[in-house]
Amino acid sequence: MSNHLASSSSPYLLQHAHQPVDWYPWGDEALEKAKKEDKLIIISVGYSTCHWCHVMAHETFDDDSAAAFMNEHFVSIKVDREERPDIDQVYMRAVQMMTGQGGWPLNVVALPDGRPIWGGTYFPKDRWIASLERILEVRKDDPESVEDYAQKLQEGVQLSSTIAPTEDSPAIDEELFHVMRHNWSRRWDTLEGGPNKAPKFPLPNNYAYLLRYGFQYQDHEALLQVERTLDAMAKGGIYDHVGGGFTRYSTDAQWRVPHFEKMLYDNGQLLELYANGFRMWNKESYADIILQTAEFLKREMRSENGLYYSALDADTEGEEGKFYVWTNDEMNRILGSEAEEFKAVASWDDRAKWEGENHVILKASNSIEHPKWSHWMKLLFAEREKREKPGVDTKQLSSWNALLISGLTHSALALNNAELKTQAITLGTSFHQSFVDGRKIWHAFGEDGGYIDGFCDDYALTIKAYIDLHTLTADEVWLDRAEALLIEALALFNDPNSPLLWYNSNSSESLISRSHETDDNVIPSSNAVMATNLFRLGRARGNADWEERSIEMTQIALSQAERYPEGFTQWAQTALDIHGPFKEVVVAGPKAVSVVSEIGQTYLPNIILLGITKDSEKSPFENRFADFGTRIFVCEQRACQLPVEKVDEAIKLINP
């Protein structure tokens, strides 16, 4: 038995391809069928490593009676949220407006034209069927009220998906940053790090901004909160001490017990965050995290074509976390006479105990590095390799691979590590060959090449990655590519009524609403990253229009930042660029690569670092190159101080 998903490229859709539900992928066939037969649409959104998606699939969508009911009365559409984030955004916002919360699986009932009328997340089978029966009754008995509700909800979704310019946008000044810090600090966990709640997500962009703010304004408590958070995550169960890499979040407030799925987007961003942490504090534990995480990604998530897969599942053999947890008997057998010594370091009978006999691996929060820890982890890794491994979501997404490029480039620079540099350049080359077609970016790449037109975040994060690759290599081609993609993005996603950009392009299919993605979440918003790109490339290339647009975008978004700073931290980083001091640093000469590498080991968040090893006529390189030596130009708003040759002299000019 198979439904209409059998030929899909998405691993998530293929998980549902042989269910009795007559699933369709999103597309004209399903939408036209709903209109022709005047049937309500079930839109079920999830992703392949989602635990509760698996649970509802087995409980409900594998059930013959539930499937028969759905097939008789509805047209059912399955959506992979990672392949179609634009669809997910629309219906997630609708469910959040209806219920006050969201999550995955996301299940929505919509009219034949796609306008939602009801929704939620996970439902047990009986409640799911009862809800669907009630919806059918209401539509039959009072169709006008259903139509009226759908219209109002659609208007609400569209209104909440955009931000209009206001006259009371906050000034980009020191007071704004200090107010954001004050309001945010009320929700800090000053004991365990992170937010003072559970679950706890890593949210790398939050701590990247707080690190920069603390550094720029010499705020000891802000810096301590970042260091506390990085240390706690590095010691906690959210980090896979045995095999490297971070899981998606901690289910508790102490970073102890993880939700075990591993996502490429988390690990790519956390590489960059820990690289900046290493630049700031020079902690060997942060270097270990970087190297182990990069090795995990290369070992478990790198495909033969050089790109990286999307995620590892939380479940193994139908059980969440089975691959990662350990029993007392296993630990005694594997570590033998050293088992008790390990247990003392790992808080084995306290924090590490999870459920039943199962324990997670973590380091006691107050422990120092144990000399045998690495040896123990190697023994556990060898044993764990004998187990059945979690499933891999083999989707290859441009935005997530771009995040990894940035993570690898910053790690290579911070650690001055040749292997990481090779990994970053190799991935960048494969990325450009696979995802970029002229000035077009594909959102996803599969066996038949690129598919699904890129969204605004694909362009924004790729542009950032290319700027980072330019810094790493001092190869102007990456900067040229970033500039070309920025020009293309401004045309593709332009909203003539706002400086903000649409999330989906002007040539894409019409959904029930369009959004200006502005809230920074686990991944920073596409508009915020694009604003950063506009400002930095504007400074590098001497384009005042790009700088001005960045400022306009940032002022609009920051109208909400004082109330909820955590949701606007990428915007706040752009605001710090705008407020200054911000420097353009140009290294020109035959040894530019090594000089850039040396500068890149220092935490300098308020610069764009550029380099050339040959003559160039393009800004900001014109008249900079000379064969007789390598010089460093420190500039601000394209007004440059006299060049210097030593890195320590340049750093004094950057931060006098």
Side-chain angles (χ1 to χ4, degrees):
M1 184 194 309
S2 63
N3 49 45
H4 302 270
L5 304 180
S7 60
S8 300
S9 55
S10 159
Y12 176 66
L13 298 190
L14 291 174
Q15 289 174 357
H16 298 266
H18 301 289
Q19 289 179 325
V21 177
D22 190 21
W23 292 114
Y24 285 80
W26 181 274
D28 291 340
E29 183 180 4
L31 299 173
E32 290 301 321
K33 177 180 172 67
K35 291 176 182 176
K36 182 178 179 180
E37 299 179 8
D38 192 33
K39 283 187 174 180
L40 296 176
I41 303 172
I42 292 172
I43 303 167
S44 183
V45 185
Y47 55 102
S48 74
T49 59
C50 165
H51 173 71
W52 287 103
C53 299
H54 298 334
V55 173
M56 189 167 178
H58 297 321
E59 287 181 350
T60 304
F61 303 143
D62 283 338
D63 183 84
D64 288 335
S65 62
F69 180 81
M70 292 169 64
N71 294 342
E72 180 180 357
H73 298 288
F74 299 88
V75 174
S76 299
I77 297 176
K78 262 290 170 192
V79 176
D80 183 333
R81 67 169 289 256
E82 295 161 358
E83 273 197 346
R84 293 301 305 267
D86 55 334
I87 297 171
D88 177 61
Q89 281 185 10
V90 168
Y91 292 104
M92 179 64 74
R93 195 172 291 271
V95 167
Q96 289 171 333
M97 293 185 71
M98 286 186 279
T99 69
Q101 59 188 6
W104 298 278
L106 181 71
N107 292 290
V108 174
V109 174
L111 294 177
D113 60 9
R115 289 178 296 163
I117 58 172
W118 176 86
T121 54
Y122 163 77
F123 294 90
K125 185 188 75 170
D126 291 346
R127 187 172 155 217
W128 171 249
I129 297 301
S131 298
L132 296 182
E133 289 175 336
R134 177 59 181 155
I135 292 164
L136 291 171
E137 289 177 8
V138 172
R139 189 189 185 214
K140 179 181 178 181
D141 295 342
D142 193 358
E144 290 184 1
S145 69
V146 173
E147 173 67 28
D148 183 59
Y149 180 75
Q151 182 63 30
K152 290 180 179 177
L153 183 59
Q154 180 189 21
E155 292 170 357
V157 169
Q158 181 59 65
L159 187 63
S160 68
S161 299
T162 57
I163 301 179
T166 61
E167 294 182 359
D168 59 349
S169 295
I172 298 176
D173 57 18
E174 290 188 10
E175 182 180 359
L176 169 66
F177 304 125
H178 298 331
V179 169
M180 288 180 65
R181 182 257 193 243
H182 173 74
N183 291 345
W184 183 8
S185 66
R186 300 171 183 173
R187 295 182 289 277
W188 292 353
D189 183 338
T190 56
L191 180 63
E192 300 283 353
N196 58 357
K197 64 178 182 179
K200 283 188 173 181
F201 289 80
L203 298 174
N205 189 64
N206 278 189
Y207 299 100
Y209 167 68
L210 191 58
L211 176 62
R212 181 173 174 183
Y213 169 85
F215 173 79
Q216 185 159 328
Y217 291 106
Q218 295 298 294
D219 185 327
H220 174 73
E221 286 301 317
L223 291 174
L224 181 60
Q225 180 66 8
V226 178
E227 188 177 13
R228 180 187 291 125
T229 302
L230 295 187
D231 288 346
M233 291 195 300
K235 290 177 180 289
I238 191 174
Y239 183 69
D240 181 1
H241 298 276
V242 175
F246 288 86
T247 56
R248 186 161 164 250
Y249 61 86
S250 170
T251 60
D252 58 89
Q254 292 79 42
W255 304 106
R256 288 189 322 114
V257 180
H259 182 57
F260 291 92
E261 62 189 317
K262 291 180 176 179
M263 314 301 293
L264 181 62
Y265 61 74
D266 281 322
N267 284 282
Q269 291 181 94
L270 286 164
L271 281 175
E272 183 171 344
L273 178 61
Y274 275 89
N276 280 327
F278 182 79
R279 285 162 164 157
M280 185 71 188
W281 291 292
N282 198 34
K283 285 190 173 184
E284 199 61 35
S285 59
Y286 294 175
D288 290 341
I289 288 283
I290 290 167
L291 294 172
Q292 292 164 10
T293 298
E295 179 60 28
F296 148 71
L297 290 165
K298 182 179 177 182
R299 182 183 68 244
E300 302 290 345
M301 298 184 72
R302 188 173 185 267
S303 70
E304 291 183 0
N305 65 11
L307 303 175
Y308 284 71
Y309 298 136
S310 294
L312 297 184
D313 207 322
D315 297 2
T316 312
E317 301 177 68
E319 184 176 327
E320 184 181 8
K322 184 174 182 180
F323 179 74
Y324 297 101
V325 298
W326 305 84
T327 66
N328 218 33
D329 290 342
E330 285 176 321
M331 204 55 64
N332 291 334
R333 173 175 58 82
I334 298 164
L335 300 185
S337 61
E338 296 180 347
E340 294 306 315
E341 189 178 1
F342 162 78
K343 292 175 185 178
V345 177
S347 297
W348 188 252
D349 292 321
D350 182 19
R351 289 166 63 97
K353 195 169 185 179
W354 178 34
E355 58 179 22
E357 288 290 310
N358 292 324
H359 295 68
V360 294
I361 302 294
L362 48 78
K363 298 179 182 179
S365 57
N366 60 350
S367 69
I368 59 174
E369 189 65 34
H370 194 284
K372 295 181 183 178
W373 185 265
S374 178
H375 170 66
W376 292 333
M377 294 306 104
K378 288 178 181 177
L379 293 175
L380 294 178
F381 178 81
E383 182 69 20
R384 200 174 75 175
E385 284 294 284
K386 302 173 186 177
R387 299 176 177 177
E388 181 177 331
K389 291 188 175 182
V392 181
D393 184 333
T394 56
K395 274 197 316 297
Q396 298 169 359
L397 302 176
S398 57
S399 56
W400 296 9
N401 273 266
L403 287 168
L404 179 56
I405 291 172
S406 290
L408 289 170
T409 56
H410 281 272
S411 297
L413 287 165
L415 273 58
N416 192 24
N417 185 287
E419 171 60 25
L420 292 175
K421 180 176 180 178
T422 299
Q423 288 184 37
I425 296 171
T426 301
L427 175 55
T429 302
S430 298
F431 181 102
H432 193 76
Q433 292 171 347
S434 302
F435 284 116
V436 181
D437 182 4
R439 289 189 173 185
K440 175 178 182 176
I441 297 178
W442 293 106
H443 173 64
F445 187 84
E447 291 182 1
D448 298 323
Y451 66 100
I452 305 176
D453 290 344
F455 301 103
C456 191
D457 55 349
D458 297 314
Y459 282 79
L461 293 168
T462 298
I463 293 164
K464 178 189 182 300
Y466 282 10
I467 295 171
D468 291 337
L469 280 170
H470 166 75
T471 298
L472 182 67
T473 62
D475 187 341
E476 195 174 2
V477 69
W478 292 111
L479 201 63
D480 290 343
R481 289 169 175 174
E483 183 179 16
L485 290 173
L486 180 60
I487 294 168
E488 182 71 7
L490 293 177
L492 277 176
F493 304 101
N494 184 58
D495 178 353
N497 300 312
S498 173
L500 296 171
L501 300 173
W502 292 119
Y503 181 73
N504 53 349
S505 77
N506 291 317
S507 60
S508 63
E509 67 176 296
S510 296
L511 302 176
I512 65 160
S513 74
R514 296 184 76 182
S515 70
H516 297 145
E517 187 191 44
T518 53
D519 290 8
D520 296 327
N521 206 296
V522 176
I523 299 175
S525 69
S526 52
N527 268 290
V529 178
M530 200 66 84
T532 306
N533 294 335
L534 281 162
F535 185 83
R536 294 189 164 210
L537 279 178
R539 280 289 179 89
R541 291 305 203 194
N543 190 318
D545 290 341
W546 289 354
E547 286 187 56
E548 183 58 34
R549 183 162 187 170
S550 173
I551 294 168
E552 291 174 0
M553 294 168 72
T554 303
Q555 286 177 322
I556 292 172
L558 288 180
S559 62
Q560 305 181 48
E562 292 182 359
R563 174 181 54 84
Y564 184 60
E566 304 98 305
F568 297 89
T569 48
Q570 181 63 41
W571 289 108
Q573 291 200 62
T574 309
L576 283 173
D577 284 355
I578 294 166
H579 179 263
F582 184 85
K583 309 291 176 68
E584 310 99 59
V585 180
V586 180
V587 182
K591 297 182 179 180
V593 175
S594 61
V595 173
V596 164
S597 180
E598 188 177 350
I599 296 173
Q601 295 173 55
T602 302
Y603 182 63
L604 299 168
N606 59 323
I607 68 170
I608 180 169
L609 181 55
L610 308 154
I612 50 166
T613 57
K614 57 185 179 181
D615 198 16
S616 172
E617 296 179 356
K618 294 183 179 179
S619 177
F621 304 122
E622 67 272 32
N623 303 318
R624 305 282 192 218
F625 183 82
D627 289 325
F628 55 78
T630 299
R631 300 177 297 169
I632 308 167
F633 298 82
V634 177
C635 315
E636 188 167 3
Q637 293 183 295
R638 293 172 292 282
C640 300
Q641 302 187 52
L642 291 174
V644 297
E645 295 185 2
K646 294 182 179 180
V647 168
D648 58 348
E649 293 176 338
I651 290 175
K652 288 178 182 178
L653 294 176
I654 294 168
N655 290 319

